[in-house]
Amino acid sequence: MAGSAPLVGILALQGAVREHAAVLQDLGARVRGVKRPSDLEGLWGIVLPGGESTAIGLLMTEYGLREPLRSGYLPTFGTCAGMILMARRIEGGEPPWLGILDVAVARNAYGRQRESFEADLEVGGIGQVRGVFIRAPYVTEVGHGVEVLARDHGGHAVVVRQGPHLATAFHPELAGEHRLHAAFLAGLDGPAQAPVGAVAG
Ligand code: GLN
C-alpha cells in the first residue's frame, strides 16, 4: 500500500462519523473528517455516512463538496444515506446528488412496519454479516458495471460494488462489523488524483 497507511476521509457534515472512524482506525487506516474541499487533498478514499441524505446533500452542495465528489475520482464507500447520495437515480423524482454509482435506490424502502431492524445477510466474498437497517433504502435497479454482493429477504440488492466504489443500505459500523470497511480499504491504492479544477480549496 504505497508504504504508508491509507488516508480515508469521512464526510463530516451530518450523520454517524465517529463509528466509521473507529472501524477504519482499527483496520490501520488514518482518518480525516471532511468539511471543505481542501480536506479532500491527499485522500485515498472517502466514506459517506448515514444520516439524512437530503440534509447531507444540501450541505455538501453548500460547502462546495458536491462538485469534486461528483466526478467520481475518489473511491467512495456509502452507508445508508451515503448510498442514496451516490446513486445515479432516486425513485420518486428527487434529483440525484453525486450519480457515481449506476443504481437506482428507493429511500425509506422498508416502510413504517420495518423502519429499523437487523438482519443477517450473506455478502459475496465476505460471508455472513449482521446488517443494521435504519429507515434504510434498497436498490431497485442495477447498471451493467455494478456487482450485487448481497440481497435482503425480499431479493433487493443491499450491498453493491462498482469499481472502487462500495455501498451498503445498512450500517455495518453500528454492528461492530469491520469486513466491509476492510474490503473498501483493499480497493484503495494511494492518494487519488483529483481532475484538474475539481478541488477548489
Ligand atoms: N432515510 C434516510 C434518507 O433517506 C437514510 C437513513 C440512514 O442513513 N440511516 O436519507
Side-chain angles (χ1 to χ4, degrees):
M1 282 194 289
S4 63
L7 176 61
V8 180
I10 305 172
L11 187 70
L13 300 174
Q14 196 241 17
V17 175
R18 232 174 355 149
E19 293 82 357
H20 281 291
V23 174
L24 290 166
Q25 282 166 338
D26 275 355
L27 291 167
R30 297 169 291 150
V31 303
R32 179 195 291 159
V34 171
K35 291 202 163 87
R36 54 181 64 82
S38 57
D39 295 331
L40 298 173
E41 193 150 326
L43 295 183
W44 297 32
I46 190 168
V47 171
L48 307 182
E52 221 283 318
S53 57
T54 308
I56 301 174
L58 289 170
L59 288 167
M60 195 188 245
T61 307
E62 193 181 319
Y63 284 74
L65 286 163
R66 185 176 175 192
E67 280 314 309
L69 293 178
R70 246 166 111 112
S71 73
Y73 82 97
L74 192 58
T76 303
F77 177 20
T79 60
C80 201
M83 172 189 259
I84 298 166
L85 292 166
M86 293 169 74
R88 178 180 52 78
R89 191 165 71 78
I90 300 172
E91 299 284 353
E94 180 184 349
W97 294 102
L98 299 178
I100 57 175
L101 189 63
D102 193 10
V103 299
V105 295
R107 294 179 65 188
N108 303 311
Y110 296 95
R112 293 212 179 150
Q113 262 65 54
R114 307 201 74 206
E115 268 218 331
S116 131
F117 61 97
E118 297 189 16
D120 290 320
L121 304 158
E122 196 56 35
V123 180
I126 289 182
Q128 191 169 297
V129 164
R130 186 89 178 148
V132 179
F133 292 77
I134 304 170
R135 290 184 292 285
Y138 59 56
V139 174
T140 55
E141 214 176 85
V142 176
H144 287 308
V146 178
E147 222 182 319
V148 175
L149 300 184
R151 294 182 185 276
D152 67 10
H153 53 279
H156 309 103
V158 290
V159 180
V160 290
R161 182 165 62 194
Q162 183 175 17
H165 301 315
L166 180 66
T168 63
F170 53 89
H171 291 268
E173 79 286 2
L174 296 183
E177 173 57 60
H178 283 47
R179 291 168 294 172
L180 286 150
H181 291 74
F184 177 62
L185 291 178
L188 307 182
D189 59 7
Q193 288 307 315
V196 176
V199 180

